[in-house]
Amino acid sequence: MSEDKEAIANSSQESTQEILKKILKKIHENGEGRSVYDLGNPALIAGTFDYLRLESQINDLLGKTADGRQNCGALIKLLTMQLLNVPHQMLSDTSLFMESIPSEVILGNGNGNGNEIKPEQACRADIAKLLDAISIFGTEELFDSLSRQVFDRLGIEPQEAQIESSGFYYSDYESEYDSSQLILNQRCGRENTELNHASDIVLVDSLSRIPIGIIKSDDSAGEKRSEFDKASSCLPELRKKFPKLQSVSRKRLPAKGSWRCCQRPEITVDSMYLEDSSRIKVLLFLMDTALLVYAATEYLARKVMKEKNLSLTGPERRVNTSPTGNFLLSYISFLDTSLVLNRCTGEWSVVNLNGEFASLLIALGHEWMKYFVETSYACMKREGRS
């Protein structure tokens, strides 16, 4: 399937929906009586999400606000996996993306206990309810709780922070390919001053490069402050959450150290994410949450690889012992690790899992390994989903 994915990725004139339909066609018509689901990036990110215990944290915080039948934590987990699905990053056609992965297990904490969300619960209407629930709760407040959870799980206490920013440019018109989709661009604002811009100032732990918090950028009338001044003014509040945090460095993170997850500057999103200012703030929150999980994945992978003396062999046979998150996700995408069902025997198999990546999964631990072991999927329907 690697050649098929490469051909799809190079077809820039197709809509996101058409791309997903082609992937799903391969998944459901793979021949020899088998069904195939993508593991790779989604399963790795799901493992990090589980290890950090973010799903239960989100449900505890949003439970009184959101629709009672929604598993908000699992739905944000799904959106995070979609945002970090290199090289097909997007936030549109989420239910189609969900059908391409073994969601019965990945979105059920690996238990297959019936608590997972269903593809029909990832429709635009249900996602819109989630976005509004996040907005009502407060994006900064929710992100603060998640970042504290991450640092607690990793056993890190930030002492110095650096300034970063996340954001995108967008236009008011819809994509010519699909009336429900819009294009976000991370870089083109300087060339096209007519584009709108949405951004967050983010404080990042200097050592781990994991986000600490989002800085509110609203200035009072007539007052303009530098990003450094805004960040420094928030230190007293941040110290309530991170008591050892002493200062903000004037040195920004270098461009190479940024957590951009892929080389492509454009990401396609459903138009509902840009319907009003509150939705745009929630979109920024979802992107920041994805960056939080991305940075934690990078940190953990580097940590265990150093401890276990592991390496990953990239293009041109270059050995990498301290991969960036982008290298890690691109490496896994290239492997094309999949879950395959042979309908003749009724057995699930994980294919395209090489020794290097398997060693990394073992070092990371159970939360990641469970999604790459065949027995975890024994609960799934033998005939596969139609």
Side-chain angles (χ1 to χ4, degrees), residues 219-277:
D219 286 329
S220 58
E223 180 187 11
K224 286 197 173 182
R225 297 179 296 166
S226 68
E227 290 185 351
F228 175 79
D229 290 336
K230 294 174 185 176
S232 297
S233 68
C234 292
L235 273 177
E237 187 66 27
L238 284 170
R239 288 192 185 113
K240 296 176 184 179
K241 185 172 64 163
F242 300 106
K244 292 187 178 181
L245 184 61
Q246 298 300 315
S247 61
V248 177
S249 172
R250 287 185 177 273
K251 184 179 180 181
R252 297 179 67 96
L253 285 176
K256 279 189 176 179
S258 175
W259 48 61
R260 289 237 170 93
C261 348
C262 71
Q263 299 300 316
R264 295 173 58 218
E266 293 185 346
I267 297 177
T268 306
V269 303
D270 192 290
S271 58
M272 67 179 169
Y273 290 97
L274 297 170
E275 284 182 353
D276 55 46
S277 59

Side-chain angles (χ1 to χ4, degrees), residues 53-69:
R53 299 175 185 170
L54 295 179
E55 183 175 329
S56 58
Q57 177 79 352
I58 291 167
N59 285 334
D60 287 344
L61 295 170
L62 294 184
K64 294 181 180 180
T65 308
D67 187 328
R69 70 185 181 89

Side-chain angles (χ1 to χ4, degrees), residues 150-162:
V150 168
F151 281 96
D152 285 346
R153 286 293 291 152
L154 298 180
I156 302 173
E157 280 295 334
Q159 298 183 35
E160 183 186 65
Q162 288 178 258

